[in-house]
Amino acid sequence: MSGLVAFHLFAVFVGPWAAIREQTSPLAADCRRLVAPYVDALYLGNGYRFFAPEPGPSHLVKYDLTLPGGQTLSGHFPDRAARQPRLLYHRYFMLSETLNTLYTPDKNAPGRAVFDRYVRSYARHLLLAHQAANVRLTLVEHRIAAIEDIQRGKVSLADANLFEELPLGTFSEDDR
Amino acid sequence: MSALAGTVKGWFREIVADWDRFWFTPVDPATLSLIRVFAGAMLLYTHGVWSLKLESFFGADGWLMPDAVHAFHREMHTWSYFWWLRTPGQLWGAHLAAIVVFAMLTVGLFSRVVAPLAAIATLSYIQRVPGALFGLDQINALLAIYLCLGPCGARYSFDHWLAKRRGVGLVAVEPSIAANIAIRLIQLHMCVIYLFAGTSKLMGLAWWNGFAMWLALGNYEYQSLDMTWLAHWPRTVSLLSHVTIFWETFYCLLIWSKRWRPVMLILAILLHMGIAICLGMMTFGLVMLIGNLAFVSPLLVQRMLAGRGGAVAPQSRADLEGA
């Protein structure tokens, strides 16, 4: 029994220790390999880096749909007005945050394929859900207002200057 | 030389004895049972909310289509029964079954059977939708797993009530080694979580210059209570930032001290309720507090809930020492 407990505790520690590949030492990576199936199966491989290294900007996904009749429909998620209860809002928020986490500008980077699949997955879902002809997706970064600017009354938290857009592409029925 | 060997041997023997005492002292399952009630309710709510958009998230044409999830999980050892479900009918059937399991866990009906089922269901939901998850799901998973290990339905449950009805008079709840192991694992897991939460912040300038809390509270998408006025109170923002990182980093040490434990738990309540109310993460704030409940002694739980869980069990040493 002691052996099982010790093994589990080792896995509990190694999970967050080796959670982020780019920040993991060779020793931590070796330890992770020893317990990888166990850590993955029990969902122990989380970094627990809540608001670390520091709280950053938030991200939204904007979509512009063209419907079969030519009408257009636009929206974004997370949408504070549309998603209740709050937990559901947070699920959509995590969809957009995950897209940003996966994003890398280098199209040949190892993780880029996962990002591309996620973008296509979101696009296909929107196309099917709305029976749309095409959809244009944009990742929007919402920077946090500097505390000095708020003190001086220069900006609000939702000031238009705090938003920056990254076009993700236009996807059509063929991409379904 | 023999004196040195004797000292080392004695030291090693003490460590083994401490290890055995820490893990294998029977405790009353009151704390574990109370965690079952709250964790079960949180699992029920978390998965109940999925009902509102079940097919949008878990269906084959949902936000996270199978090929995207498989790419995300490449080289990982994950499993989910959702991959077996082909039709909306099957999806809803499995979902309703899971909801029933979580409800049974909450009220403590057939707890030893439904606890493992709840853990399997929780992990299956998680492994199906990477990309829609956050801290809530991490804590839900660990609580569901540890509830399987001990007699989580021994108190505050239909199981206990039914046992009393079948028996004559009060049915005594025995102290349990398995309950202790489950509680110890929750305690140590919480320590690991806070250790990494705290140390990973040490890399961030904003936690040193004191403006980190502004970056969290001033985030429009997180904000559920307008705290923008705090921008005019920079020293308060700094204090909140510094207390947070010190508390997280040293939690794994100070929570074991009888003198510091109440302070650490009060700070846990303030921090997590602050996150819950100001940053729109009520579920995450509450589930972290459920994890912290593992540091409340079974005796205190019984005293607080006297009359609701049956007779007070014979007190073990760990009970009296506050686990």
Side-chain angles (χ1 to χ4, degrees):
Chain A
M1 181 53 78
S2 287
L4 289 175
V5 167
F7 173 81
H8 178 77
L9 285 180
F10 178 69
V12 164
F13 183 83
V14 166
W17 189 33
I20 300 176
R21 198 168 288 189
E22 301 76 31
Q23 297 173 9
T24 298
S25 72
L27 176 64
D30 287 345
C31 291
R32 173 78 164 77
R33 266 190 291 278
L34 284 177
V35 290
Y38 188 77
V39 165
D40 293 340
L42 294 189
Y43 194 51
L44 301 173
N46 303 293
Y48 307 121
R49 288 157 169 81
F50 308 126
F51 291 120
E54 56 187 48
S58 49
H59 299 85
L60 305 96
V61 173
K62 203 170 82 174
Y63 56 87
D64 300 291
L65 292 153
T66 306
L67 303 176
Q71 312 97 307
T72 57
L73 179 67
S74 297
H76 63 269
F77 59 86
D79 183 349
R80 285 165 63 111
R83 307 288 180 201
Q84 288 295 334
R86 180 74 186 202
L87 177 55
L88 189 61
Y89 166 87
H90 218 78
R91 296 296 183 195
Y92 284 93
F93 192 8
M94 292 304 103
L95 285 180
S96 58
E97 283 297 332
T98 299
L99 209 56
N100 177 66
T101 306
L102 294 171
Y103 175 70
T104 166
D106 179 1
K107 291 193 171 170
N108 298 315
R112 176 71 189 210
V114 183
F115 170 79
D116 290 337
R117 287 204 189 216
Y118 263 59
V119 173
R120 273 204 300 276
S121 182
Y122 293 3
R124 273 156 59 197
H125 173 70
L126 286 163
L127 288 168
L128 287 166
H130 295 276
Q131 290 300 305
N134 66 58
V135 59
R136 190 174 72 227
L137 293 181
T138 309
L139 184 62
V140 181
E141 182 167 278
H142 183 183
R143 293 190 309 276
I144 298 155
I147 195 166
E148 300 84 6
D149 291 342
I150 294 286
Q151 287 166 348
R152 291 184 204 122
K154 279 171 67 178
V155 293
S156 69
L157 295 182
D159 195 284
N161 291 328
L162 297 172
F163 291 85
E164 194 173 334
E165 297 193 349
L166 173 72
L168 298 175
T170 300
F171 305 84
S172 65
E173 286 172 317
D174 301 335
D175 296 297
R176 286 184 189 177
Chain B
M1 192 65 188
S2 63
L4 180 65
T7 305
V8 171
K9 216 169 159 183
W11 176 76
F12 186 72
R13 223 180 272 132
E14 274 177 34
I15 287 182
V16 171
D18 285 347
W19 171 275
D20 285 345
R21 198 164 36 243
F22 183 83
W23 289 103
F24 305 118
T25 302
V27 298
D28 188 278
T31 301
L32 189 66
S33 299
L34 188 62
I35 290 175
R36 187 210 77 241
V37 175
F38 289 129
M42 184 57 78
L43 289 168
L44 183 59
Y45 178 74
T46 302
H47 294 84
V49 169
W50 280 130
S51 312
L52 301 172
K53 291 284 176 186
L54 189 70
E55 290 177 51
S56 291
F57 280 90
F58 294 89
D61 296 331
W63 287 102
L64 298 158
M65 295 190 182
D67 64 317
V69 175
H70 293 318
F72 186 92
H73 279 156
R74 73 198 183 284
E75 298 171 24
M76 288 177 74
H77 310 79
T78 60
W79 176 85
S80 170
Y81 60 65
F82 279 95
W83 300 123
W84 298 341
L85 309 175
R86 303 278 177 210
T87 66
Q90 291 171 350
L91 183 63
W92 275 102
H95 182 61
L96 291 176
I99 294 291
V100 170
V101 163
F102 295 132
M104 289 172 73
L105 182 70
T106 307
V107 300
L109 183 60
F110 305 121
S111 314
R112 296 314 293 263
V113 176
V114 295
L117 294 178
I120 290 168
T122 302
L123 290 169
S124 285
Y125 279 82
I126 284 170
Q127 308 288 23
R128 174 62 185 87
V129 289
L133 307 172
F134 63 110
L136 165 70
D137 304 285
Q138 299 165 11
I139 314 302
N140 270 347
L142 77 88
L143 292 173
I145 291 166
Y146 294 135
L147 285 175
C148 301
L149 302 181
C152 65
R155 289 187 183 277
Y156 322 125
S157 63
F158 269 101
D159 289 341
H160 187 245
W161 180 76
L162 288 170
K164 274 200 298 186
R165 275 193 57 159
R166 281 191 222 106
V168 180
L170 291 173
V171 175
V173 177
E174 296 295 326
S176 156
I177 292 175
N180 188 37
I181 292 173
I183 288 294
R184 292 302 193 193
L185 287 172
I186 297 174
Q187 290 174 335
L188 287 167
H189 210 136
M190 294 305 291
C191 286
V192 168
I193 289 169
Y194 286 127
L195 176 67
F196 281 96
T199 52
S200 57
K201 289 181 177 68
L202 294 172
M203 294 189 291
L205 174 67
W207 292 103
W208 290 97
N209 68 21
F211 288 114
M213 204 48 87
W214 165 254
L215 297 178
L217 294 169
N219 186 311
Y220 185 71
E221 275 68 36
Y222 273 105
Q223 201 178 68
S224 51
L225 184 67
D226 188 357
M227 300 293 285
T228 315
W229 55 271
L230 262 181
H232 301 283
W233 297 78
R235 280 174 183 76
T236 307
V237 172
S238 300
L239 179 69
L240 292 172
S241 304
H242 297 321
V243 168
T244 298
I245 193 167
F246 275 107
W247 175 80
E248 284 187 335
T249 305
F250 294 109
Y251 178 97
C252 62
L253 298 175
L254 296 177
I255 196 70
W256 302 103
S257 153
K258 280 194 198 71
R259 218 161 269 170
W260 279 95
R261 183 176 292 185
V263 177
M264 299 308 278
L265 291 179
I266 288 168
L267 284 172
I269 293 169
L270 293 175
L271 179 88
H272 289 305
M273 288 319 291
I275 290 173
I277 293 165
C278 300
L279 299 180
M281 289 188 281
M282 187 59 80
T283 47
F284 177 63
L286 289 176
V287 86
M288 291 301 278
L289 292 179
I290 296 170
N292 274 280
L293 253 185
F295 286 100
V296 178
S297 80
L299 190 61
L300 184 57
V301 169
Q302 282 176 273
R303 279 187 186 154
M304 287 190 302
L305 300 175
R308 293 185 180 84
V312 173
Q315 289 150 7
S316 69
R317 184 177 159 179
D319 279 344
L320 294 169
E321 289 180 350

